[in-house]
């Protein structure tokens, strides 16, 4: 094993029962050691997603977990601190971003050091901030999947892959919506997005959307059809229940509506004939069961977009950042649960 400076116990946020954010506790834990095919990362920034507080909350308070103790958060960025046997892709000192840290494991990124298999650790180019790396993961990989399941369009993203496509991103000011706008533009698509306020219009414009529709300001379907008279080819959908009629009204023939969340309701009522007439396809997705091949493809394509400078964050890039200290992780969870606009990040170390 190759390793950096030896350190003592580390700080971590843990919980051992489901419940509200008060179940999160700051604790000392022993420093983990990487095994074969693994690396240890000194976490600098941890990213918080809705799935993190939903998993912590569970179906009811006080339930037992699948592990005796859980460290939350899938996403983060930091520096490789130690390398296990057989690892040649990464070296001590490499800047990296990580994703799906908690997938079938109890340890997420809300701790100072984290051991992960190399497949979940991606080089972060020099000059790209840790805040960018910690904002990728769940949002960017979800957006990638949504953009690569459409009939007649490529299953991989690269510059020009979506040339000629029109993409509608529902909720362009959210983290997934923001990533979808950036990835779709990078791949050459024309991007339309819907938002609810003038402030979010400005954010969607900063993210790179070509056309922005405030769905509270008039006839949304007519506004979308005005800029896309032949319809949209791919819908990245966050709210299928309230948007079902809208999607049916604006999609092109053989369009795909990719559904990654259930904002606004957990069941969908579809008008069959309008969807049937255009051969519409509904594609549901969740990263936990999407498969290793899809995750690997997303990892490579998102990394390429990052390398091209296409995945900026911060208000100037359409995604305001909200920082919390590690000991304030409960507040970070509450901020995400409340629907704060932008990306919530936890500063773990310098």
């Amino acid at each position: 094993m190759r390793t950096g400076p030896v350190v003592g116990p580390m700080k971590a946020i843990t919980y051992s029962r489901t419940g509200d954010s008060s179940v999160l506790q700051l604790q000392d834990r022993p420093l983990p050691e990487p095994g074969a095919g693994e690396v240890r990362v000194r976490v600098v920034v941890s990213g918080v997603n809705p799935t993190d507080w939903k998993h912590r909350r569970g179906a009811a308070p006080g339930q037992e977990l699948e592990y005796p103790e859980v460290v939350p958060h899938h996403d983060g960025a930091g520096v490789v601190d130690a390398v296990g046997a057989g690892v040649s892709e990464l070296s001590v000192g490499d800047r990296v971003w990580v994703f799906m840290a908690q997938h079938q494991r109890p340890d997420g990124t809300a701790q100072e050091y984290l051991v992960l298999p190399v497949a979940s650790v991606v080089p972060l180019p020099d000059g790209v901030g840790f805040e960018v790396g910690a904002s990728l993961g769940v949002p960017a990989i979800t957006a990638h999947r949504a953009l690569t399941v459409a009939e007649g369009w490529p299953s991989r993203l690269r510059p020009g892959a979506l040339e000629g496509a029109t993409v509608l991103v529902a909720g362009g000011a959210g983290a997934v919506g923001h990533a979808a706008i950036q990835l779709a533009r990078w791949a050459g698509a024309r991007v339309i997005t819907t938002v609810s306020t003038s402030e979010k219009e400005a954010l969607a414009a900063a993210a790179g959307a070509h056309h922005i529709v405030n769905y509270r300001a008039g006839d949304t379907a007519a506004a979308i059809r005005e800029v896309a008279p032949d319809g949209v080819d791919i819908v990245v959908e966050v709210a299928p229940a309230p948007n079902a009629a809208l999607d049916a009204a604006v999609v092109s023939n053989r369009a795909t509506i990719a559904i990654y969340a259930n904002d606004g309701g957990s069941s969908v009522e579809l008008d069959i004939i309008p969807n049937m007439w255009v051969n519409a396809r509904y594609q549901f997705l969740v990263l936990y069961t999407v498969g290793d091949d899809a995750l690997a493809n997303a990892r490579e394509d998102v990394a390429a977009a990052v390398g091209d400078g296409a995945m900026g964050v911060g208000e100037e890039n359409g995604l305001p950042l909200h920082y919390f200290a590690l000991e304030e992780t409960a507040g970070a969870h509450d901020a995400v649960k409340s629907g704060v606009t932008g990306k919530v990040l936890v500063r773990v170390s310098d």
Side-chain angles (χ1 to χ4, degrees):
M1 181 181 72
R2 303 185 298 279
T3 184
V6 177
V7 298
M10 64 171 186
K11 299 292 185 184
I13 296 294
T14 69
Y15 62 98
S16 56
R17 290 288 189 275
T18 58
D20 64 21
S21 61
S22 66
V23 302
L24 299 172
Q25 302 294 320
L26 181 66
Q27 296 190 19
D28 287 330
R29 300 183 101 203
L31 189 70
E33 298 295 341
E38 297 179 331
V39 298
R40 186 173 69 204
V41 176
R42 178 175 64 82
V43 181
V44 176
V45 181
S46 177
V48 189
N49 296 292
T51 190
D52 298 316
W53 70 258
K54 291 176 182 178
H55 185 271
R56 183 216 71 224
R57 180 191 62 183
Q63 294 178 321
E64 291 188 6
L65 306 172
E66 60 268 47
Y67 302 100
E69 188 174 75
V70 171
V71 176
H73 306 171
H74 283 287
D75 300 339
V79 179
V80 174
D81 171 73
V83 176
V87 174
S88 58
E89 305 95 321
L90 295 164
S91 300
V92 171
D94 286 352
R95 303 170 73 253
V96 295
W97 59 279
V98 309
F99 67 97
M100 299 301 287
Q102 271 194 290
H103 183 48
Q104 299 179 339
R105 304 171 69 256
D107 287 348
T109 62
Q111 56 186 330
E112 292 178 317
Y113 292 86
L114 173 65
V115 167
L116 284 170
V118 291
S120 293
V121 184
V122 191
L124 186 66
D126 291 339
V128 177
F130 291 119
E131 71 281 1
V132 174
S135 300
L136 297 170
V138 168
I141 293 174
T142 298
H144 180 279
R145 177 65 174 172
L147 293 168
T148 55
V149 293
E151 182 181 8
W153 296 98
S155 60
R156 298 292 299 271
L157 297 182
R158 64 185 185 283
L162 295 179
E163 191 72 39
T166 299
V167 173
L168 172 62
V169 178
V176 175
H178 174 263
I181 291 170
Q182 292 184 323
L183 285 171
R185 270 209 68 145
W186 175 70
R190 177 174 61 158
V191 183
I192 304 169
T193 190
T194 55
V195 296
S196 59
T197 67
S198 58
E199 291 78 14
K200 291 180 179 180
E201 289 181 42
L203 294 175
H210 296 96
H211 304 283
I212 302 155
V213 177
N214 187 328
Y215 62 79
R216 292 178 175 167
D219 187 331
T220 304
I224 293 170
R225 281 287 184 179
E226 184 176 351
V227 297
D230 295 327
V232 300
D233 303 296
I234 302 169
V235 181
V236 181
E237 185 57 82
V238 66
N243 288 344
L246 171 65
D247 292 339
V250 301
V251 292
S252 64
N253 192 52
R254 297 170 65 195
T256 294
I257 299 105
I259 296 169
Y260 70 89
N262 61 346
D263 290 7
S266 295
S267 61
V268 181
E269 183 174 326
L270 298 178
D271 193 344
I272 293 173
I273 295 302
N275 285 286
M276 183 182 289
W277 192 252
V278 294
N279 289 267
R281 171 185 292 186
Y282 279 80
Q283 172 71 58
F284 293 85
L285 66 101
V286 65
L287 297 188
Y288 300 118
T289 55
V290 74
D292 291 340
D293 288 347
L295 292 177
N297 290 344
R299 163 197 163 123
E300 292 179 13
D301 295 352
V302 170
V306 172
D308 285 348
M311 304 298 289
V313 299
E315 189 158 2
E316 68 278 11
N317 292 300
L319 191 71
L321 301 178
H322 308 277
Y323 284 100
F324 292 78
L326 185 61
E327 60 269 22
E328 299 170 336
T329 298
H333 277 220
D334 291 342
V336 176
K337 185 176 184 295
S338 72
V340 64
T341 299
K343 183 66 183 179
V344 172
L345 302 173
V346 173
R347 296 186 192 272
V348 180
S349 66
D350 294 331

